[in-house]
Amino acid sequence: MSSRHRPLSAWTATLSPRTGQLGPVNDGDHRSDARELDHFADGWHRVAVPWGPDVHVLGLAHDDGTTVVELDDFGRPIIASRQTVEVIDRIEQRWPTIDSGTADMFRELSSESLSLRYWLLERLDAEAHPPDEVFAILPWELLDRAVEAVEAGLRPAGTLGELVEVQHWLTPAVLGLTGPVEQLDHGLRTGNRLIARFGANALLTALCEIPLSRVPARSRACLSRLVSLLEGLDPLYRHACRVAAARLSDRSEARRIRTELHSSLEAAAGTENVREHIEILGDGLQRVQLVETQAGWVRVTAQLLRAHAAEDGPLAERVGCLLPVRITPSDGGPVRRLWIALSDEDDHLEGTITVALPQGRSAFEADAAPVGAQDLNDADPADVLASLDAGTATTALAWLDVAEKLMETHPVRVAARAFEERS
């Protein structure tokens, strides 16, 4: 018996020994999280609570005789056989250490209820450093089916597959992945090309950034096929798609647009001249030139090979073309998110911003796919204004051209108006 035996679920109910009925959820405090209650600090052990003929549910029993039952998202007891409870008990005995021997125990739970698997891994992810393979017991088949449904709908003359709701079941393993897939599906299913565009953008951003080591090989392969389709739908997606595909297959040949910047550059030896450090990142599809100065500034020039998506495609056309960039200070300071407005230059799109770097080292990233003004519908006008202020005259003009096509209340229009009033 130890504090290792605490609720897996955020909700419990006390079992009445006289009536066999459950009391209020979390003793009536529905906003509380049972996993964090001092009530479960010590003296509890894992039990399988009888719940009808040949049925048991997940529970905890205290030394004083109190028994609680763990509940799912709908307030229903979580079904768990005696054997299952014994496996969970053995895992909790070693908590939070999850070695190779303990990891093997998780395979015995692969056919248990979604709620049990979800809550076990949710708590494990929060309190321990589990090996990636334990997350294989989550319902990845839901993601695979959802991706395959979207893939079928994006193919020429294709038809969407069945609607699959992945919900939150995979979040102990990965965040920011299933939501974009469902958004893309919803956009295609309802014929809303703008929502479909939002979903595609968000998915590519996630696949370029989030950790993927917990995603099983089959699910990665499904996502890779979807990424290939997106690359064919929109030529401006090509760089982000190649980065995503490389990450999904653990390959490193994609030329990333990420590097480390520093606010202090020393002057060249024997001179007092301000030294510039020039770095070119990316490929012929999406390229960024960075010019760092001794004064602590960086000039960022982005170039994208110009291409146009089919007008009758499933994704809405962009209003303008804006490349997201991100500067993340290594000291934990606030992340700077900026957009570079791109305009036509010969055979490519181009834009430039100049930004004061945070003190010390920072990580620079610009692998994301370009977005349109629609993607900034919920942006803070102050954040958009910072991007206008950072742009060259040509880049600022590109912003103003985009703003003219938008409603008066759109964040880009609001920022453009403030920019012009100050100019």
Side-chain angles (χ1 to χ4, degrees):
M1 300 177 191
S2 73
S3 59
R4 294 172 182 172
H5 295 295
R6 291 185 291 107
L8 300 180
S9 170
W11 299 288
T12 64
T14 302
L15 180 68
S16 170
R18 292 188 303 102
T19 66
Q21 299 297 309
L22 295 178
V25 175
N26 291 353
D27 289 330
D29 185 1
H30 295 179
R31 296 184 179 181
S32 64
D33 186 330
R35 298 168 296 181
E36 300 174 358
L37 295 177
D38 293 338
H39 178 61
F40 294 104
D42 200 7
W44 295 86
H45 57 276
R46 187 58 67 185
V47 293
V49 180
W51 202 257
D54 301 321
V55 177
H56 291 79
V57 296
L58 187 65
L60 289 164
H62 194 267
D63 297 344
D64 64 8
T66 302
T67 298
V68 299
V69 170
E70 301 204 36
L71 309 175
D72 66 14
D73 293 349
F74 299 97
R76 301 172 302 201
I78 297 175
I79 302 297
S81 67
R82 289 178 177 176
Q83 294 80 4
T84 296
V85 173
E86 289 174 1
V87 172
I88 294 173
D89 180 68
R90 295 202 304 272
I91 291 172
E92 289 182 320
Q93 291 287 356
R94 306 186 188 187
W95 201 276
T97 301
I98 306 296
D99 53 25
S100 58
T102 311
D104 289 340
M105 298 180 193
F106 284 82
R107 297 189 183 95
E108 301 179 45
L109 305 175
S110 59
S111 60
E112 296 301 322
S113 71
L114 289 181
S115 293
L116 188 148
R117 287 179 277 161
Y118 168 80
W119 286 116
L120 174 62
L121 290 175
E122 175 80 1
R123 182 181 156 200
L124 183 65
D125 180 57
E127 299 180 9
H129 300 284
D132 294 337
E133 59 263 28
V134 303
F135 295 92
I137 70 171
L138 291 172
W140 295 100
E141 68 279 1
L142 295 178
L143 175 63
D144 299 344
R145 287 165 47 206
V147 170
E148 288 167 354
V150 171
E151 182 185 346
L154 288 177
R155 293 191 180 281
T159 303
L160 277 166
E162 64 170 327
L163 175 63
V164 181
E165 295 183 357
V166 186
Q167 300 182 47
H168 60 287
W169 298 120
L170 301 181
T171 55
V174 62
L175 295 173
L177 178 58
T178 60
V181 173
E182 292 183 319
Q183 187 177 34
L184 176 53
D185 179 281
H186 179 68
L188 296 174
R189 207 168 289 277
T190 60
N192 190 319
R193 298 166 67 230
L194 183 57
I195 290 179
R197 168 73 73 181
F198 289 160
N201 288 350
L203 178 60
L204 289 177
T205 298
L207 293 176
C208 287
E209 296 179 358
I210 63 175
L212 297 171
S213 61
R214 294 175 176 177
V215 180
R218 172 178 164 76
S219 297
R220 290 193 190 200
C222 288
L223 288 164
S224 291
R225 292 194 297 270
L226 177 54
V227 165
S228 295
L229 282 173
L230 291 176
E231 182 176 0
L233 285 176
D234 188 339
L236 292 182
Y237 277 162
R238 286 180 296 185
H239 173 79
C241 285
R242 292 182 184 186
V243 171
R247 296 189 74 233
L248 286 166
S249 59
D250 289 325
R251 293 181 283 112
S252 58
E253 66 264 27
R255 300 185 65 177
R256 304 297 303 268
I257 305 179
R258 54 171 50 189
T259 190
E260 186 178 81
L261 304 176
H262 202 291
S263 61
S264 300
L265 292 177
E266 296 180 358
T271 73
E272 295 183 355
N273 296 329
V274 173
R275 187 170 72 87
E276 291 186 338
H277 176 257
I278 300 175
E279 187 173 8
I280 298 176
L281 304 167
D283 50 35
L285 300 173
Q286 189 163 313
R287 177 175 297 170
V288 168
Q289 177 180 277
L290 301 169
V291 181
E292 296 174 78
T293 72
Q294 188 182 9
W297 291 77
V298 62
R299 185 167 68 251
V300 184
T301 298
Q303 292 183 345
L304 273 70
L305 186 65
R306 186 166 57 190
H308 298 284
E311 293 184 2
D312 58 348
L315 308 180
E317 293 184 41
R318 297 178 185 86
V319 177
C321 189
L322 316 170
L323 182 67
V325 301
R326 184 170 61 190
I327 299 174
T328 306
S330 60
D331 64 1
V335 176
R336 293 203 66 184
R337 300 179 185 274
L338 299 161
W339 299 272
I340 304 176
L342 305 173
S343 55
D344 289 342
E345 293 287 343
D346 298 326
D347 63 344
H348 61 273
L349 303 171
E350 183 173 314
T352 300
I353 59 173
T354 302
V355 183
L357 290 170
Q359 193 65 31
R361 298 186 183 279
S362 300
F364 175 89
E365 299 171 83
D367 278 320
V371 300
Q374 309 101 308
D375 295 87
L376 276 60
N377 287 348
D378 298 321
D380 186 333
D383 293 337
V384 179
L385 182 58
S387 295
L388 270 82
D389 288 336
T392 61
T394 301
T395 300
L397 184 59
W399 276 109
L400 298 180
D401 289 342
V402 171
E404 286 297 319
K405 304 172 185 177
L406 304 171
M407 296 175 58
E408 289 290 337
T409 56
H410 192 282
V412 171
R413 189 70 178 262
V414 173
R417 190 161 54 245
F419 179 81
E420 290 182 301
E421 290 172 354
R422 290 188 334 201
S423 300

